[in-house]
């Protein structure tokens, strides 16, 4: 019995290759996948990070050969704002729901420490929305509009000899959350030799600072050769233009200058064609897969670990979502009860302190009231004394007036008698 069981286990672990005796029909699986994917449609989300006026909107218009309505941003934004715009694009029988997110006001503030935080918050918010949909009891992932950022085009200004500190800090903060492809914008403003030196310097600084940018995959033999060669051209030096210019006998996308023209789709002039080839025609699906399997998975794992969920070893007890949830809920309720008790105790202490203050104020009020009563009594006593003095003074005055009147009357009578005697 034990030997038979061991044979079954070993047989279950080993895979046997069998040859079919005839056509079965599951070779149509790739066609089924293609038909289903085409019917469902695709979504692709691009984040454009760069300073105001560096050419983000123009490059998007050139990439998709259309005009996306996008109002120009000023250089006087108080903070960085992310402005997403979603478009429905159709090419042949393929439908693409494209979302382009612009960073409005990036790099325009005097204090640039807060420039990258709104970008990270936006990326995390899209991950959070997808995770919430996954954790719902009644999910609708099939029809869910996936807004997770698949690619970040980081626009580098060719104004210096290397990257700015803002560029390094921002890309370092973003590399674990999104696929980054650095591009040198407005590459026609520098010479070819300077451009080559700038590319080498930028890649050197990215490596020395540990910034992980997106490398085109070389595992698939079908695209390994072209991707390996294109990785050597990073960062791409691009030029955007929606203006049609006649060069020779044909109309091309170009920028006109007094000394000539710069053709956008001429690989001798810039790397725009390489960027479009790598981004849209060869590696778009890999970018979508990397976003889900690498960046979103990292966010999801960290988020669930924060919530208290953890995997167990194969030899230990199996993982129970319900037990983990109940334990976390019990811990949360105990923490809530502890905080309520702390608040209640704080309230009691506040009441006691307030009562003590009221008693002290009442005691002080009684003292003031007693002092006021004594002062009032003393004033009444002084008032009575003054009234008595006034009465005594008035009596003396009346007596003095009476005596004076009698003296005057006696003097007048004596004077009259003297006059009578003289007569």
């Amino acid at each position: 019995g034990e030997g038979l069981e061991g044979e079954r286990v070993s047989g279950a672990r080993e895979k046997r290759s069998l040859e079919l005796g005839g056509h079965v029909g599951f070779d149509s699986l790739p066609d089924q996948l293609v038909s289903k994917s085409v019917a469902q449609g695709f979504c692709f989300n691009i984040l454009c990070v760069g300073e105001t006026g560096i050419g983000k909107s123009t490059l998007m218009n050139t990439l998709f050969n259309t005009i996306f309505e996008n109002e120009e941003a000023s250089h006087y934004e108080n903070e960085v704002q992310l402005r997403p715009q979603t478009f429905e694009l159709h090419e042949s029988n393929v439908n693409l729901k494209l979302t382009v997110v612009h960073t409005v006001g990036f790099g325009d503030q005097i204090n640039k420490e807060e420039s990258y935080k709104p970008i990270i918050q936006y990326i995390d918010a899209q991950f959070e929305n997808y995770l919430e949909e996954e954790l719902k009891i009644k999910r609708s992932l099939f029809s869910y509009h996936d807004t997770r950022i698949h690619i970040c085009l980081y626009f580098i200004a060719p104004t210096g000899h290397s990257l700015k500190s803002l560029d390094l800090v921002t890309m370092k903060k973003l590399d674990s959350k999104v696929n980054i492809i650095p591009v040198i914008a407005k590459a026609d403003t520098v010479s070819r030799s300077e451009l080559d030196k700038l590319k080498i310097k930028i890649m050197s600084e990215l490596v020395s600072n540990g910034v992980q940018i997106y490398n085109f995959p070389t595992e698939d033999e079908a695209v390994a050769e072209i991707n390996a060669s294109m990785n050597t051209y990073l960062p791409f030096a691009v030029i955007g233009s929606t203006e049609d210019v006649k060069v020779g006998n044909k109309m091309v996308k170009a920028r006109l200058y007094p000394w000539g023209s710069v053709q956008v789709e001429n690989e001798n002039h810039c790397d725009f064609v390489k960027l479009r080839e790598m981004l849209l025609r060869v590696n778009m699906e890999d970018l979508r897969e990397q976003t889900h399997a690498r960046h979103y998975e990292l966010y999801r794992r960290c988020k669930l670990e924060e919530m208290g969920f953890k995997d167990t070893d194969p030899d230990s007890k199996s993982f129970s979502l319900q037990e983990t949830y109940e334990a976390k809920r019990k811990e949360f309720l105990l923490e809530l009860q502890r905080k309520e008790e702390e608040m209640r105790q704080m309230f009691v202490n506040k009441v006691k302190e307030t009562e003590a203050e009221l008693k002290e104020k009442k005691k002080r009020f009684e003292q003031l009231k007693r002092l006021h009563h004594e002062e009032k009594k003393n004033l009444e006593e002084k008032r009575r004394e003054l009234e008595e003095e006034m009465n005594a003074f008035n009596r003396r005055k009346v007596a003095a007036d009476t005596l004076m009147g009698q003296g005057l009357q006696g003097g007048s009578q004596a004077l009259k008698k003297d006059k009578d005697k003289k007569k």
Side-chain angles (χ1 to χ4, degrees):
E2 292 181 0
L4 181 62
E5 186 66 27
E7 186 179 348
R8 287 177 182 173
V9 172
S10 62
R13 290 177 181 174
E14 293 177 2
K15 296 179 182 178
R16 294 185 297 170
S17 297
L18 300 177
E19 292 187 5
L20 303 178
H23 181 261
V24 177
F26 58 79
D27 58 351
S28 66
L29 269 173
D31 298 330
Q32 294 176 38
L33 287 173
V34 169
S35 300
K36 184 178 179 181
S37 299
V38 169
Q40 184 181 356
F42 302 89
C43 73
F44 192 59
N45 306 318
I46 302 176
L47 171 65
C48 299
V49 180
E51 299 173 6
T52 306
I54 203 169
K56 301 186 292 293
S57 300
T58 305
L59 185 65
M60 287 298 103
N61 294 339
T62 313
L63 267 177
F64 292 94
N65 199 20
T66 187
I67 302 296
F68 299 122
E69 294 181 2
N70 187 30
E71 58 181 273
E72 291 185 358
S74 69
H75 288 277
Y76 305 102
E77 299 289 339
N78 294 326
E79 59 183 4
V80 178
Q81 299 177 353
L82 278 85
R83 183 184 297 160
Q85 291 180 303
T86 302
F87 310 94
E88 295 281 352
L89 304 182
H90 308 278
E91 189 174 43
S92 299
N93 63 333
V94 178
N95 298 326
L96 179 67
K97 184 180 286 187
L98 174 70
T99 300
V100 180
V101 185
H102 289 284
T103 52
V104 180
F106 182 78
D108 287 334
Q109 292 75 32
I110 296 176
N111 182 7
K112 293 180 173 54
E113 291 181 357
E114 302 295 322
S115 295
Y116 65 86
K117 289 184 179 179
I119 304 174
I120 293 176
Q121 290 170 0
Y122 179 85
I123 295 173
D124 285 345
Q126 312 319 307
F127 285 155
E128 181 71 20
N129 293 338
Y130 193 87
L131 180 60
E132 287 179 1
E133 186 64 30
E134 271 192 338
L135 296 177
K136 283 182 180 178
I137 296 174
K138 188 177 180 181
R139 301 183 299 178
S140 58
L141 291 173
F142 181 78
S143 59
Y144 177 76
H145 179 206
D146 189 1
T147 57
R148 295 173 296 177
I149 299 298
H150 299 124
I151 180 65
C152 169
L153 291 178
Y154 196 95
F155 289 73
I156 301 168
T159 53
H161 299 289
S162 61
L163 290 169
K164 298 179 181 178
S165 59
L166 175 63
D167 299 330
L168 278 174
V169 171
T170 304
M171 280 194 272
K172 184 65 177 174
K173 295 290 183 181
L174 292 178
D175 64 356
S176 63
K177 296 181 178 293
V178 68
N179 303 311
I180 300 175
I181 294 181
V183 295
I184 301 173
K186 299 184 177 179
D188 53 339
T189 59
V190 292
S191 66
R192 172 59 63 181
S193 60
E194 289 175 342
L195 193 58
D196 293 337
K197 292 178 182 178
L198 182 59
K199 282 188 175 187
I200 296 171
K201 183 67 174 176
I202 288 172
M203 292 305 296
S204 174
E205 288 192 349
L206 291 176
V207 171
S208 62
N209 286 276
V211 179
Q212 299 291 327
I213 63 172
Y214 175 76
N215 285 304
F216 303 116
T218 55
E219 293 82 11
D220 187 358
E221 293 181 1
V223 294
E225 185 177 352
I226 184 173
N227 280 348
S229 64
M230 288 301 170
N231 282 329
T232 62
Y233 285 94
L234 289 172
F236 290 131
V238 297
I239 301 165
S241 176
T242 56
E243 184 180 356
D244 291 318
V245 178
K246 189 173 184 179
V247 176
N249 296 324
K250 61 179 182 178
M251 301 297 291
V252 296
K253 302 286 185 187
R255 300 183 73 89
L256 281 177
Y257 292 97
W259 42 263
S261 62
V262 177
Q263 300 174 32
V264 171
E265 296 183 346
N266 188 333
E267 293 196 48
N268 294 322
H269 292 184
C270 70
D271 299 330
F272 172 79
V273 173
K274 297 182 178 67
L275 174 65
R276 185 178 62 189
E277 187 80 11
M278 291 295 96
L279 188 63
L280 305 180
R281 302 181 182 180
V282 179
N283 298 300
M284 180 185 282
E285 185 57 30
D286 184 73
L287 288 166
R288 286 155 43 89
E289 289 177 2
Q290 285 286 326
T291 299
H292 182 79
R294 181 184 166 197
H295 301 295
Y296 169 70
E297 196 63 28
L298 176 63
Y299 175 85
R300 175 183 169 277
R301 189 180 71 211
C302 295
K303 198 71 175 179
L304 291 180
E305 286 176 352
E306 286 178 9
M307 295 168 64
F309 300 110
K310 58 183 179 180
D311 294 332
T312 56
D313 297 329
D315 300 331
S316 61
K317 186 179 177 182
S318 61
F319 175 73
S320 173
L321 187 65
Q322 182 178 355
E323 290 179 4
T324 305
Y325 170 75
E326 289 176 354
K328 197 68 181 176
R329 184 173 182 273
K330 186 177 180 181
E331 180 183 345
F332 172 75
L333 291 175
L334 289 174
E335 182 68 16
L336 189 64
Q337 186 178 358
R338 184 183 64 82
K339 288 184 178 180
E340 286 180 355
E341 188 61 32
E342 286 181 358
M343 291 182 67
R344 190 179 296 110
Q345 190 62 36
M346 188 184 299
F347 177 74
V348 170
N349 293 338
K350 282 287 184 183
V351 169
K352 288 181 179 179
E353 290 176 3
T354 306
E355 287 179 350
E357 289 179 1
L358 287 174
K359 286 180 180 179
E360 186 66 27
K361 289 180 179 179
K362 186 176 181 181
K363 184 178 179 182
R364 182 65 180 167
F365 175 74
E366 291 293 336
Q367 291 177 352
L368 292 174
K369 186 177 179 182
R370 189 166 59 253
L371 290 172
H372 174 72
H373 182 71
E374 291 176 357
E375 289 180 359
K376 186 177 180 182
K377 185 177 179 181
N378 293 334
L379 286 174
E380 290 290 338
E381 187 68 26
K382 288 182 179 179
R383 180 184 174 187
R384 191 165 54 252
E385 291 176 358
L386 286 173
E387 287 180 350
E388 290 178 356
E389 290 180 1
M390 286 177 65
N391 292 334
F393 175 76
N394 288 333
R395 285 196 297 272
R396 288 195 297 270
K397 182 181 178 184
V398 170
D401 291 341
T402 304
L403 291 173
M404 187 178 294
Q406 290 177 355
L408 289 174
Q409 186 178 2
S412 61
Q413 289 179 356
L415 184 61
K416 187 176 180 183
K417 286 180 179 179
D418 289 341
K419 284 181 179 180
D420 291 340
K421 286 178 179 181
K422 287 178 181 180
K423 287 179 179 180

